[in-house]
Amino acid sequence: MRPEQNLSMNEALVALRAAGEETRLRILALLSAGELSVSDLTDILGQSQPRISRHLKLLVESGLVERHREGAWAFFRLADRATATQLLHPLLDALDGADRHIAADKARLQAKRRQRAEAAQAYFARIAPKWDELRSLHAAECDVEKAVAEVIGEKPVLNLIDLGTGTGRMLGRLAPLARRAVGLDASHAMLSVARANLEKAGVGRVELRQGDIHAPPVEENAFDLVIIHQVLHYLDDPARALREAARLVSPGGRMLIVDFAPHGLEFLREKQAHRRLGFSHEQIGDWLDEAGLDCAFTRDLPPPEGIRDALTVSIWLGQDRRVRTDWPVQSKNREVA
């Protein structure tokens, strides 16, 4: 949420009028638990799509709710960064959870989430074999995530974006560190998996958006931590993707890249759609330099012992060269060898 600002009389009246209707208040209460589609809200509230859409239009116009597209779908979430929400959160916190409407809506929301989780599990079961095969060739994900946490360190994170979020695993681990967390992926199916996984993990108020990593549909200079986790090797033009990602980094912010070191496993091109067979430290360092970032840290995680065709996971941390003065003074991150 952005720093508090005083509400004008007109802003306060618009927000209060928008929230001051039963269905709209129920919608706001549901969105406080995470983003939902029109279809979700129609099923939960038992009202027609046109009626729900009219209510949502008014809430968006009031500044209390944000709307974003995901292919043919539209998703809605509370506008946490809007000034008007200063009135909204205390109101929602004061609602009685035992109220028959609120309790029934919550129960139907949980049923909807279970349904979504089952659909996501079925989808992922179909693609899991290739994921399992790839995971067996490199360091365990828990070890990679531990190393990522060490590289990020304790520096405050205000706004975080995970480009190519996939199943949302990395976003789920890092979103609790940030005030605002965004996940971007080109695949609606993968965003559905991520949404279900984040809901199951209890990670709320995460923005999931569909978009091209080569043209991210988000604000530039807005994120003090940009993550590109196991994405570059799928791209025809990873250098361009990295340059576009660097445009999102706020002054003094950082970019975390996780991918494979150079390898010769040609079968990954055919079986798993890899376009690039890993990246050297020199290559990533040059790309970061061209994008206006210094390569502050690197780390290699060796594969499990005894694996014949194995992959080394590499981690790079890019640091923006511009100076940001509004972070509290912190001890400098130590380099991870």
Side-chain angles (χ1 to χ4, degrees):
M1 189 171 178
R2 75 184 188 184
E4 288 191 5
Q5 300 177 13
N6 291 331
L7 281 168
S8 69
M9 179 69 74
N10 184 63
E11 287 176 321
L13 288 173
V14 169
L16 289 170
R17 290 192 187 107
E21 193 277 337
E22 181 181 309
T23 297
R24 292 197 291 273
L25 186 57
R26 290 167 68 186
I27 289 174
L28 291 169
L30 287 166
L31 294 180
S32 69
E35 65 180 17
L36 295 168
S37 68
V38 176
S39 176
D40 292 333
L41 291 166
T42 298
D43 291 345
I44 293 169
L45 296 173
Q47 299 183 23
S48 69
Q49 185 270 332
R51 181 171 181 175
I52 294 297
S53 294
R54 285 195 298 271
H55 284 305
L56 288 168
K57 183 175 184 293
L58 194 153
L59 290 170
V60 169
E61 291 174 347
S62 73
L64 294 177
V65 168
E66 294 176 346
R67 175 183 182 273
H68 69 88
R69 300 291 303 182
E70 190 174 301
W73 294 68
F75 284 85
F76 298 83
R77 66 187 309 274
L78 295 186
D80 283 346
R81 289 167 289 135
T83 306
T85 54
Q86 293 180 46
L87 291 173
L88 181 59
H89 290 297
L91 172 63
L92 296 178
D93 291 341
L95 289 176
D96 182 4
D99 176 87
R100 65 185 182 90
H101 290 303
I102 299 298
D105 290 347
K106 183 177 179 180
R108 286 190 287 268
L109 173 61
Q110 294 304 318
K112 172 63 67 174
R113 286 181 165 177
R114 286 194 297 271
Q115 181 184 18
R116 187 152 54 221
E118 290 169 0
Q121 185 176 10
Y123 168 80
F124 199 67
R126 295 196 297 272
I127 65 173
K130 75 172 187 177
W131 286 64
D132 290 339
E133 180 183 13
L134 183 61
R135 282 197 296 262
S136 69
L137 301 177
H138 61 76
E141 290 180 352
C142 60
D143 293 333
V144 175
E145 291 161 3
K146 180 181 178 181
V148 164
E150 291 174 351
V151 171
I152 291 174
E154 299 178 357
K155 192 171 188 176
V157 178
L158 304 180
N159 301 311
L160 174 155
I161 185 165
D162 183 19
L163 299 175
T165 194
T167 64
R169 182 181 175 99
M170 189 60 66
L171 189 61
R173 299 296 187 273
L174 299 180
L177 303 178
R179 295 185 189 177
R180 177 192 179 202
V182 179
L184 180 78
D185 203 281
S187 167
H188 172 69
M190 291 308 296
L191 286 173
S192 297
V193 173
R195 188 170 286 111
N197 287 342
L198 292 169
E199 288 174 352
K200 183 178 180 180
V203 180
R205 295 188 180 177
V206 172
E207 302 173 42
L208 292 176
R209 301 190 185 182
Q210 186 174 27
D212 184 356
I213 193 173
H214 295 103
V218 293
E219 317 93 290
E220 295 184 5
N221 298 305
F223 298 91
D224 49 301
L225 183 59
V226 175
I227 302 164
I228 309 177
H229 178 262
Q230 298 291 16
V231 174
L232 293 182
H233 60 259
Y234 288 111
L235 306 179
D236 288 323
D237 193 352
R240 177 187 164 205
L242 197 151
R243 288 195 303 271
E244 290 299 320
R247 293 160 64 91
L248 310 182
V249 179
S250 60
R254 298 176 292 170
M255 180 190 296
L256 179 79
I257 303 169
V258 181
D259 219 291
F260 298 124
H263 62 85
L265 305 187
E266 287 287 345
F267 75 90
L268 292 177
R269 294 189 195 270
E270 179 180 352
K271 296 183 65 175
Q272 303 212 16
H274 288 207
R275 298 289 188 269
R276 304 293 291 267
L277 298 183
F279 305 93
S280 68
H281 293 314
E282 181 180 11
Q283 189 171 49
I284 295 294
D286 287 344
W287 288 345
L288 288 171
D289 181 62
E290 293 169 2
L293 288 84
D294 294 319
C295 189
F297 302 107
T298 62
R299 180 172 180 180
D300 290 326
L301 299 178
E305 294 183 4
I307 303 297
R308 180 181 176 184
D309 293 326
L311 296 167
T312 293
V313 174
S314 294
I315 301 174
W316 300 270
L317 186 69
Q319 175 72 53
D320 185 81
R321 293 169 185 152
R322 295 166 295 176
V323 177
R324 181 168 182 168
T325 60
D326 60 339
W327 271 323
V329 176
Q330 295 284 324
S331 59
K332 184 178 180 181
N333 283 356
R334 72 181 190 279
E335 181 169 357
V336 182

